[in-house]
Amino acid sequence: MEARLRRQGYYITLDIFVADFRRIVENCRIYNLPETIYNKLASKLEASFNNYMASHVISDGPLLPMPSPG
């Protein structure tokens, strides 16, 4: 994701950026048990991201939701 940010122009829409972020969080949960620090921090990061997006981004509709586990 960092390389894509540096390549200005990859994230041509906010939805593409959000989808990449959500994929990272989802993968962290899939590959790390719930009691690990990685899984817990992914949840905290996601909550902070959601709060930031809700208060700083103007949108015509909902951004891509986090997929349901399973």
Coordinates of all heavy atoms in Angstrom, one line a residue:
M1 N 0.8 -1.2 0.0 CA 0.0 0.0 0.0 C 0.9 1.3 0.0 O 0.6 2.2 -0.7 CB -0.9 0.0 1.2 CG -2.1 0.9 1.1 SD -3.3 0.5 2.4 CE -4.5 1.8 2.1
E2 N 2.0 1.2 0.7 CA 2.9 2.3 0.8 C 3.5 2.6 -0.6 O 3.5 3.8 -1.1 CB 4.0 2.1 1.7 CG 5.0 3.2 1.9 CD 6.1 3.0 2.8 OE1 6.1 2.0 3.6 OE2 7.1 3.8 2.9
A3 N 3.8 1.6 -1.4 CA 4.4 1.8 -2.7 C 3.3 2.3 -3.6 O 3.6 3.2 -4.5 CB 4.9 0.4 -3.3
R4 N 2.1 1.9 -3.5 CA 1.0 2.4 -4.3 C 0.7 3.9 -4.0 O 0.4 4.7 -4.9 CB -0.3 1.6 -4.1 CG -0.2 0.2 -4.6 CD -1.4 -0.6 -4.3 NE -1.3 -1.9 -5.0 CZ -2.1 -2.9 -4.9 NH1 -3.2 -2.7 -4.1 NH2 -2.0 -4.0 -5.5
L5 N 0.9 4.3 -2.7 CA 0.7 5.7 -2.4 C 1.8 6.6 -3.0 O 1.6 7.7 -3.5 CB 0.7 5.9 -0.9 CG -0.5 5.5 -0.1 CD1 -0.3 5.5 1.4 CD2 -1.7 6.5 -0.5
R6 N 3.0 6.0 -3.0 CA 4.2 6.7 -3.7 C 4.0 6.9 -5.2 O 4.5 7.8 -5.8 CB 5.5 6.0 -3.4 CG 5.9 6.2 -1.9 CD 7.3 5.6 -1.8 NE 7.6 5.7 -0.4 CZ 8.4 4.9 0.3 NH1 9.0 3.9 -0.4 NH2 8.7 5.0 1.5
R7 N 3.3 5.9 -5.8 CA 3.1 5.9 -7.2 C 2.0 6.8 -7.6 O 1.2 6.5 -8.4 CB 2.8 4.5 -7.7 CG 3.9 3.8 -8.4 CD 3.3 2.6 -9.1 NE 2.7 1.7 -8.2 CZ 1.9 0.7 -8.6 NH1 1.6 0.5 -9.8 NH2 1.5 -0.1 -7.7
Q8 N 1.8 7.9 -7.1 CA 0.7 8.9 -7.3 C -0.1 8.5 -8.5 O 0.5 8.4 -9.6 CB 1.2 10.3 -7.3 CG 1.9 10.7 -6.1 CD 2.5 12.1 -6.2 OE1 2.4 12.8 -7.2 NE2 3.1 12.5 -5.1
G9 N -1.4 8.3 -8.3 CA -2.2 8.0 -9.4 C -2.8 6.6 -9.4 O -3.7 6.2 -10.1
Y10 N -2.3 5.7 -8.5 CA -2.8 4.4 -8.3 C -4.2 4.5 -7.7 O -5.1 3.8 -8.2 CB -1.9 3.5 -7.5 CG -2.5 2.1 -7.4 CD1 -2.3 1.2 -8.3 CD2 -3.3 1.8 -6.3 CE1 -2.8 -0.1 -8.2 CE2 -3.9 0.5 -6.2 CZ -3.7 -0.4 -7.2 OH -4.2 -1.7 -7.1
Y11 N -4.3 5.2 -6.6 CA -5.6 5.3 -6.0 C -6.4 6.5 -6.6 O -6.4 7.6 -6.1 CB -5.4 5.6 -4.5 CG -4.8 4.4 -3.7 CD1 -3.6 4.5 -3.1 CD2 -5.5 3.2 -3.7 CE1 -3.0 3.4 -2.5 CE2 -4.9 2.1 -3.0 CZ -3.7 2.2 -2.4 OH -3.2 1.1 -1.8
I12 N -7.1 6.1 -7.7 CA -7.8 7.2 -8.4 C -9.2 7.4 -7.8 O -9.8 8.4 -8.1 CB -8.0 6.8 -9.9 CG1 -8.7 5.5 -10.1 CG2 -6.6 6.8 -10.6 CD1 -9.0 5.2 -11.5
T13 N -9.6 6.5 -6.9 CA -10.8 6.8 -6.1 C -10.6 6.4 -4.7 O -9.7 5.6 -4.3 CB -12.0 5.9 -6.6 OG1 -11.8 4.6 -6.3 CG2 -12.3 6.1 -8.1
L14 N -11.4 7.0 -3.8 CA -11.3 6.7 -2.4 C -11.6 5.3 -2.1 O -11.1 4.6 -1.3 CB -12.2 7.7 -1.6 CG -12.1 7.5 -0.1 CD1 -10.7 7.7 0.5 CD2 -13.0 8.5 0.6
D15 N -12.6 4.7 -2.9 CA -13.0 3.3 -2.7 C -11.9 2.4 -2.9 O -11.8 1.3 -2.2 CB -14.2 3.0 -3.6 CG -15.5 3.5 -3.0 OD1 -15.6 3.7 -1.8 OD2 -16.4 3.7 -3.8
I16 N -11.0 2.6 -3.8 CA -9.8 1.7 -4.1 C -8.9 1.8 -2.9 O -8.4 0.7 -2.4 CB -9.1 2.2 -5.4 CG1 -10.0 1.9 -6.6 CG2 -7.8 1.4 -5.5 CD1 -9.4 2.5 -7.9
F17 N -8.7 2.9 -2.3 CA -7.8 3.1 -1.1 C -8.4 2.3 0.0 O -7.8 1.5 0.7 CB -7.6 4.5 -0.8 CG -6.8 4.8 0.5 CD1 -5.5 4.7 0.5 CD2 -7.5 5.0 1.6 CE1 -4.7 4.9 1.6 CE2 -6.8 5.2 2.8 CZ -5.4 5.2 2.8
V18 N -9.7 2.5 0.3 CA -10.4 1.9 1.4 C -10.4 0.4 1.2 O -10.2 -0.4 2.2 CB -11.9 2.4 1.5 CG1 -12.7 1.6 2.5 CG2 -11.8 3.9 1.9
A19 N -10.6 -0.1 0.0 CA -10.6 -1.6 -0.3 C -9.2 -2.2 0.1 O -9.2 -3.2 0.7 CB -10.9 -1.9 -1.7
D20 N -8.2 -1.5 -0.3 CA -6.8 -2.0 0.1 C -6.6 -2.0 1.6 O -6.1 -3.0 2.1 CB -5.7 -1.1 -0.6 CG -5.2 -1.7 -1.9 OD1 -5.8 -2.7 -2.4 OD2 -4.3 -1.1 -2.4
F21 N -7.0 -0.9 2.2 CA -6.9 -0.9 3.7 C -7.7 -2.0 4.4 O -7.2 -2.7 5.2 CB -7.4 0.5 4.2 CG -7.4 0.5 5.7 CD1 -6.2 0.8 6.4 CD2 -8.6 0.3 6.4 CE1 -6.2 0.8 7.8 CE2 -8.6 0.3 7.8 CZ -7.4 0.6 8.5
R22 N -8.9 -2.2 3.9 CA -9.8 -3.2 4.5 C -9.2 -4.6 4.2 O -9.3 -5.5 5.1 CB -11.2 -3.1 4.0 CG -11.8 -1.8 4.3 CD -13.2 -1.9 4.9 NE -13.8 -0.7 5.1 CZ -13.8 0.0 6.2 NH1 -13.0 -0.4 7.2 NH2 -14.4 1.2 6.4
R23 N -8.6 -4.8 3.1 CA -7.9 -6.1 2.8 C -6.8 -6.4 3.7 O -6.6 -7.5 4.2 CB -7.4 -6.1 1.3 CG -6.9 -7.5 0.9 CD -6.5 -7.5 -0.6 NE -7.7 -7.1 -1.4 CZ -7.7 -6.0 -2.1 NH1 -6.6 -5.1 -2.2 NH2 -8.7 -5.7 -2.9
I24 N -6.0 -5.4 4.1 CA -4.9 -5.5 5.0 C -5.4 -5.9 6.4 O -4.9 -6.9 7.0 CB -4.1 -4.2 5.1 CG1 -3.3 -4.1 3.8 CG2 -3.1 -4.3 6.3 CD1 -2.6 -2.7 3.7
V25 N -6.5 -5.3 6.8 CA -7.1 -5.6 8.1 C -7.6 -7.0 8.1 O -7.4 -7.7 9.1 CB -8.1 -4.5 8.5 CG1 -8.9 -4.9 9.7 CG2 -7.5 -3.1 8.7
E26 N -8.4 -7.3 7.1 CA -9.0 -8.6 7.0 C -7.9 -9.7 7.0 O -8.0 -10.7 7.7 CB -9.8 -8.7 5.7 CG -10.5 -10.1 5.6 CD -11.3 -10.2 4.3 OE1 -11.3 -9.3 3.5 OE2 -12.0 -11.2 4.2
N27 N -6.8 -9.5 6.2 CA -5.7 -10.5 6.2 C -5.1 -10.7 7.6 O -4.7 -11.8 8.0 CB -4.7 -10.1 5.2 CG -5.2 -10.4 3.8 OD1 -6.1 -11.2 3.6 ND2 -4.5 -9.8 2.8
C28 N -4.9 -9.6 8.3 CA -4.3 -9.6 9.6 C -5.2 -10.5 10.5 O -4.7 -11.3 11.3 CB -4.2 -8.2 10.2 SG -3.2 -8.1 11.6
R29 N -6.5 -10.4 10.4 CA -7.4 -11.2 11.2 C -7.4 -12.6 10.8 O -7.5 -13.5 11.6 CB -8.8 -10.6 11.2 CG -8.9 -9.3 11.9 CD -10.4 -8.9 12.0 NE -10.4 -7.6 12.8 CZ -11.0 -6.5 12.3 NH1 -11.6 -6.6 11.1 NH2 -11.1 -5.4 13.0
I30 N -7.3 -12.9 9.5 CA -7.3 -14.3 9.0 C -6.0 -15.0 9.5 O -6.1 -16.2 9.9 CB -7.4 -14.3 7.5 CG1 -8.8 -13.8 7.1 CG2 -7.1 -15.7 6.9 CD1 -8.9 -13.6 5.6
Y31 N -4.9 -14.3 9.4 CA -3.6 -15.0 9.6 C -3.1 -14.9 11.0 O -2.0 -15.4 11.3 CB -2.6 -14.5 8.6 CG -3.0 -14.9 7.2 CD1 -3.4 -14.0 6.3 CD2 -2.9 -16.2 6.8 CE1 -3.8 -14.3 5.0 CE2 -3.3 -16.6 5.5 CZ -3.7 -15.7 4.6 OH -4.1 -16.0 3.3
N32 N -3.8 -14.2 11.9 CA -3.3 -14.0 13.3 C -4.5 -14.4 14.2 O -5.6 -13.8 14.0 CB -2.9 -12.6 13.5 CG -1.6 -12.3 12.7 OD1 -0.5 -12.7 13.0 ND2 -1.8 -11.6 11.6
L33 N -4.3 -15.2 15.2 CA -5.3 -15.5 16.1 C -5.8 -14.3 16.9 O -5.1 -13.3 17.1 CB -4.8 -16.5 17.1 CG -4.3 -17.9 16.6 CD1 -3.6 -18.7 17.6 CD2 -5.5 -18.6 16.0
P34 N -7.1 -14.3 17.3 CA -7.7 -13.2 17.9 C -7.0 -12.7 19.2 O -7.0 -11.5 19.5 CB -9.1 -13.7 18.3 CG -9.4 -14.8 17.4 CD -8.1 -15.4 17.1
E35 N -6.3 -13.5 19.9 CA -5.6 -13.1 21.1 C -4.2 -12.5 20.8 O -3.6 -12.0 21.7 CB -5.5 -14.2 22.1 CG -4.7 -15.4 21.6 CD -5.5 -16.5 20.9 OE1 -6.7 -16.2 20.6 OE2 -5.0 -17.5 20.6
T36 N -3.8 -12.5 19.6 CA -2.4 -11.9 19.3 C -2.5 -10.4 19.2 O -3.6 -9.8 18.9 CB -1.9 -12.4 18.0 OG1 -2.7 -12.0 16.9 CG2 -1.8 -14.0 18.0
I37 N -1.4 -9.8 19.4 CA -1.3 -8.3 19.4 C -1.6 -7.8 18.0 O -2.2 -6.7 17.8 CB 0.1 -7.8 19.9 CG1 0.1 -6.3 20.1 CG2 1.2 -8.3 19.0 CD1 -0.7 -5.8 21.2
Y38 N -1.2 -8.6 17.0 CA -1.5 -8.2 15.6 C -3.0 -8.1 15.3 O -3.4 -7.1 14.6 CB -0.8 -9.1 14.6 CG 0.7 -9.3 14.9 CD1 1.1 -10.5 15.5 CD2 1.6 -8.3 14.8 CE1 2.5 -10.7 15.8 CE2 2.9 -8.5 15.1 CZ 3.4 -9.7 15.6 OH 4.7 -9.8 15.9
N39 N -3.7 -9.0 15.7 CA -5.1 -9.0 15.5 C -5.8 -7.9 16.3 O -6.6 -7.1 15.7 CB -5.7 -10.4 15.9 CG -7.2 -10.6 15.5 OD1 -8.0 -9.8 15.8 ND2 -7.4 -11.6 14.7
K40 N -5.4 -7.7 17.5 CA -5.9 -6.6 18.3 C -5.6 -5.3 17.8 O -6.5 -4.4 17.7 CB -5.4 -6.8 19.8 CG -6.0 -8.0 20.5 CD -5.3 -8.1 21.9 CE -5.8 -9.4 22.5 NZ -5.2 -9.7 23.8
L41 N -4.4 -5.1 17.3 CA -4.0 -3.8 16.8 C -4.7 -3.5 15.4 O -5.0 -2.4 15.1 CB -2.5 -3.7 16.6 CG -1.7 -3.5 17.9 CD1 -0.2 -3.6 17.6 CD2 -2.1 -2.3 18.6
A42 N -5.0 -4.6 14.7 CA -5.7 -4.4 13.4 C -7.1 -3.9 13.7 O -7.6 -3.0 13.0 CB -5.8 -5.7 12.7
S43 N -7.7 -4.4 14.8 CA -9.1 -3.9 15.2 C -9.0 -2.4 15.6 O -9.9 -1.6 15.3 CB -9.6 -4.7 16.3 OG -9.9 -6.0 15.8
K44 N -8.0 -2.1 16.4 CA -7.8 -0.7 16.8 C -7.6 0.3 15.7 O -8.1 1.4 15.6 CB -6.7 -0.6 17.9 CG -7.0 -1.1 19.2 CD -5.9 -0.9 20.2 CE -6.3 -1.4 21.6 NZ -5.3 -1.1 22.6
L45 N -6.7 -0.2 14.7 CA -6.4 0.6 13.6 C -7.7 0.8 12.7 O -7.9 1.9 12.2 CB -5.3 0.0 12.7 CG -4.9 0.7 11.5 CD1 -4.3 2.1 11.8 CD2 -3.8 -0.1 10.7
E46 N -8.4 -0.2 12.6 CA -9.7 -0.1 11.8 C -10.6 0.8 12.4 O -11.3 1.6 11.8 CB -10.3 -1.5 11.7 CG -11.6 -1.4 10.9 CD -12.4 -2.8 10.8 OE1 -12.2 -3.5 11.8 OE2 -13.1 -3.0 9.9
A47 N -10.8 0.8 13.8 CA -11.7 1.7 14.5 C -11.2 3.1 14.3 O -12.1 4.0 14.0 CB -11.7 1.3 16.0
S48 N -9.9 3.4 14.4 CA -9.4 4.7 14.2 C -9.6 5.2 12.8 O -10.0 6.4 12.5 CB -7.9 4.8 14.5 OG -7.7 4.6 15.9
F49 N -9.4 4.3 11.8 CA -9.6 4.6 10.4 C -11.1 5.0 10.2 O -11.4 6.0 9.5 CB -9.2 3.4 9.6 CG -9.4 3.6 8.1 CD1 -8.5 4.3 7.3 CD2 -10.5 3.1 7.4 CE1 -8.6 4.4 6.0 CE2 -10.7 3.3 6.1 CZ -9.8 3.9 5.3
N50 N -12.0 4.2 10.7 CA -13.4 4.4 10.5 C -13.8 5.8 11.1 O -14.6 6.5 10.5 CB -14.3 3.3 11.1 CG -14.1 2.0 10.3 OD1 -13.8 2.0 9.2 ND2 -14.4 0.9 11.0
N51 N -13.3 6.1 12.3 CA -13.6 7.3 13.0 C -13.1 8.5 12.1 O -13.8 9.5 12.0 CB -13.1 7.4 14.4 CG -13.8 6.5 15.3 OD1 -15.0 6.2 15.1 ND2 -13.1 6.1 16.4
Y52 N -11.9 8.4 11.7 CA -11.3 9.5 10.9 C -12.1 9.7 9.6 O -12.5 10.8 9.2 CB -9.9 9.1 10.5 CG -9.2 10.3 9.7 CD1 -8.6 11.3 10.3 CD2 -9.3 10.2 8.3 CE1 -8.1 12.4 9.6 CE2 -8.7 11.3 7.6 CZ -8.1 12.3 8.2 OH -7.6 13.4 7.5
M53 N -12.4 8.6 8.9 CA -13.2 8.7 7.6 C -14.5 9.3 7.9 O -15.0 10.1 7.1 CB -13.3 7.3 7.0 CG -12.0 6.7 6.5 SD -11.1 7.7 5.3 CE -12.0 7.3 3.9
A54 N -15.2 8.9 8.9 CA -16.5 9.4 9.2 C -16.5 10.9 9.5 O -17.5 11.6 9.2 CB -17.1 8.6 10.4
S55 N -15.4 11.4 10.1 CA -15.4 12.8 10.5 C -14.7 13.7 9.5 O -14.8 14.9 9.6 CB -14.8 13.0 11.9 OG -13.5 12.5 11.9
H56 N -13.9 13.1 8.6 CA -13.1 14.0 7.7 C -13.4 13.8 6.2 O -12.9 14.6 5.4 CB -11.6 13.7 7.9 CG -11.1 14.2 9.2 ND1 -11.2 13.4 10.3 CD2 -10.6 15.3 9.6 CE1 -10.7 14.1 11.4 NE2 -10.3 15.3 10.9
V57 N -14.2 12.8 5.8 CA -14.4 12.6 4.4 C -15.9 12.8 4.1 O -16.8 12.3 4.7 CB -14.0 11.1 4.1 CG1 -14.3 10.8 2.6 CG2 -12.5 10.9 4.3
I58 N -16.1 13.6 3.1 CA -17.4 13.9 2.6 C -17.7 12.8 1.5 O -16.9 12.7 0.6 CB -17.5 15.3 2.0 CG1 -17.3 16.3 3.1 CG2 -18.9 15.5 1.4 CD1 -17.1 17.7 2.6
S59 N -18.8 12.1 1.7 CA -19.1 11.1 0.7 C -20.6 11.1 0.4 O -21.4 11.5 1.2 CB -18.8 9.7 1.4 OG -19.2 8.7 0.6
D60 N -20.9 10.7 -0.9 CA -22.3 10.7 -1.3 C -23.0 9.4 -0.8 O -24.2 9.3 -0.8 CB -22.3 10.7 -2.9 CG -21.9 12.0 -3.4 OD1 -22.1 13.0 -2.7 OD2 -21.5 12.0 -4.6
G61 N -22.2 8.5 -0.4 CA -22.8 7.2 0.1 C -21.8 6.5 1.0 O -20.7 7.0 1.2
P62 N -22.1 5.3 1.5 CA -21.2 4.6 2.3 C -20.0 4.1 1.6 O -20.1 3.8 0.4 CB -22.1 3.4 2.8 CG -23.1 3.3 1.8 CD -23.4 4.6 1.2
L63 N -18.9 4.1 2.2 CA -17.7 3.6 1.6 C -17.8 2.0 1.7 O -18.6 1.5 2.4 CB -16.4 4.1 2.3 CG -16.2 5.6 2.2 CD1 -15.0 6.0 3.1 CD2 -15.9 6.0 0.8
L64 N -16.9 1.4 1.1 CA -16.9 -0.1 1.1 C -16.9 -0.6 2.6 O -16.0 -0.2 3.3 CB -15.7 -0.7 0.4 CG -15.6 -0.4 -1.1 CD1 -14.3 -0.9 -1.6 CD2 -16.7 -1.0 -1.8
P65 N -17.9 -1.4 2.9 CA -17.9 -1.9 4.3 C -16.9 -3.0 4.5 O -16.4 -3.6 3.6 CB -19.3 -2.5 4.4 CG -19.7 -2.8 3.0 CD -19.0 -1.8 2.1
M66 N -16.5 -3.2 5.7 CA -15.6 -4.3 6.1 C -16.4 -5.6 5.9 O -17.5 -5.8 6.4 CB -15.2 -4.2 7.5 CG -14.2 -5.2 8.0 SD -12.6 -5.0 7.2 CE -11.7 -6.4 7.9
P67 N -15.8 -6.6 5.1 CA -16.5 -7.8 4.9 C -16.7 -8.6 6.2 O -15.9 -8.5 7.1 CB -15.6 -8.6 4.0 CG -14.6 -7.7 3.5 CD -14.6 -6.5 4.4
S68 N -17.8 -9.3 6.3 CA -18.1 -10.1 7.4 C -17.1 -11.3 7.5 O -16.8 -11.9 6.5 CB -19.5 -10.7 7.4 OG -20.5 -9.7 7.3
P69 N -16.6 -11.6 8.7 CA -15.7 -12.7 8.8 C -16.4 -14.0 8.4 O -17.5 -14.2 8.7 CB -15.3 -12.8 10.3 CG -15.9 -11.5 10.9 CD -16.9 -10.9 10.0
G70 N -15.6 -14.9 7.8 CA -16.1 -16.2 7.5 C -16.3 -16.4 6.1 O -16.3 -16.9 5.2

